[in-house]
Amino acid sequence: MSDATLHDAKRDPGDFAVSIADSIESFIVAVTEVSRGDEPDSAVPFLLLEVSQLLLTGGRLGAHEDFVPDERYEPDVGPEPDVDELRERFARLLDPVDVYSEVFDPYVPRTAPVASRISDDLADIITDLRHGMAHYRDGRVSEALWWWQFSYLSNWGPTASAALRALQSLVAHVRLDQPLVELNGLDTDAIGTEEQLAEEAGQVMAAEIGGQTGLRSV
């Protein structure tokens, strides 16, 4: 199936698969465009909007009954497109607020925060979405929906949720005039260990955000 058939006029635009694929394609195109850095001052708000919309699509996948692919084994879609250039562009564009602190699983008691990068998150999300899109464009719609649903629950959903939390926090700090002085220059490569980074980033986020919301660490 060629790219042109992604929006085949014979397909019902209200069809679930078409709607999901359109949303995912829109995200990939928009985020790739943001990564070019033509409008750096608007990058974070644009990303906040795009990730929010993608998570709505993910929610629709998560709420749907389980998709079952037509074939027992996943067909080979060929080599995965390289996302290193996109990752590096976002790392430069978002420096020095690329690194943030996130709790991996909110249902695990007293989970220590871990260090993450928005640039890594976006590259990983796009990798998952492109994989499903390769199935969709080759006409394997059930395989594409299965993959998008499975990877939403296991990888890109949690990743996008974490990135959205960081992006929303950045926008809030700017709009509420709360500078992130302590985060300036924070870098996973400049800290001795991941545990040290997680502890420092967690303390910063607790001080910057927890105090404003009335939340206390457990």
Side-chain angles (χ1 to χ4, degrees), residues 19-215:
S19 175
I20 295 296
D22 283 350
S23 176
I24 286 174
E25 182 192 34
S26 175
F27 175 84
I28 294 172
V29 170
V31 169
T32 301
E33 188 64 29
V34 173
S35 74
R36 303 186 192 282
D38 295 335
E39 299 183 47
D41 293 340
S42 301
V44 170
F46 279 149
L47 290 173
L48 176 66
L49 178 61
E50 292 300 328
V51 175
S52 296
Q53 292 176 332
L54 178 67
L55 281 170
L56 174 59
T57 299
R60 294 178 65 197
L61 287 164
H64 201 285
E65 62 184 12
D66 290 349
F67 291 103
V68 179
D70 294 332
E71 301 180 36
R72 182 176 180 181
Y73 298 103
E74 181 183 8
D76 184 15
V77 296
E80 298 286 355
D82 188 9
V83 294
D84 284 345
E85 182 179 353
L86 181 139
R87 188 193 315 271
E88 292 169 1
R89 290 203 301 260
F90 271 124
R92 291 192 297 269
L93 183 62
L94 297 172
D95 183 62
V97 297
D98 191 22
V99 179
Y100 68 96
S101 176
E102 173 65 12
V103 175
F104 181 72
D105 188 339
Y107 281 98
V108 176
R110 297 177 176 81
T111 301
V114 296
S116 300
R117 291 180 185 273
I118 299 175
S119 57
D120 288 343
D121 292 344
L122 294 171
D124 291 346
I125 293 166
I126 286 183
T127 296
D128 277 345
L129 298 181
R130 281 177 173 170
H131 186 88
M133 188 60 74
H135 284 305
Y136 186 85
R137 285 175 170 154
D138 284 343
R140 296 184 292 270
V141 176
S142 62
E143 189 75 43
L145 290 173
W146 172 83
W147 171 258
W148 282 328
Q149 184 186 61
F150 168 76
S151 57
Y152 164 73
L153 296 171
S154 63
N155 188 46
W156 71 260
T159 301
S161 297
L164 179 66
R165 178 74 177 91
L167 292 165
Q168 190 277 334
S169 179
L170 287 172
V171 171
H173 276 282
V174 171
R175 299 292 173 82
L176 299 176
D177 195 22
Q178 298 173 349
L180 286 167
V181 178
E182 293 88 342
L183 286 177
N184 187 37
L186 184 63
D187 191 340
T188 53
D189 298 326
I191 305 298
T193 65
E194 184 172 310
E195 289 76 12
Q196 289 173 327
L197 176 60
E199 181 179 356
E200 180 175 341
Q203 291 172 351
V204 170
M205 295 300 285
E208 288 286 338
I209 298 175
Q212 296 296 326
T213 60
L215 298 177

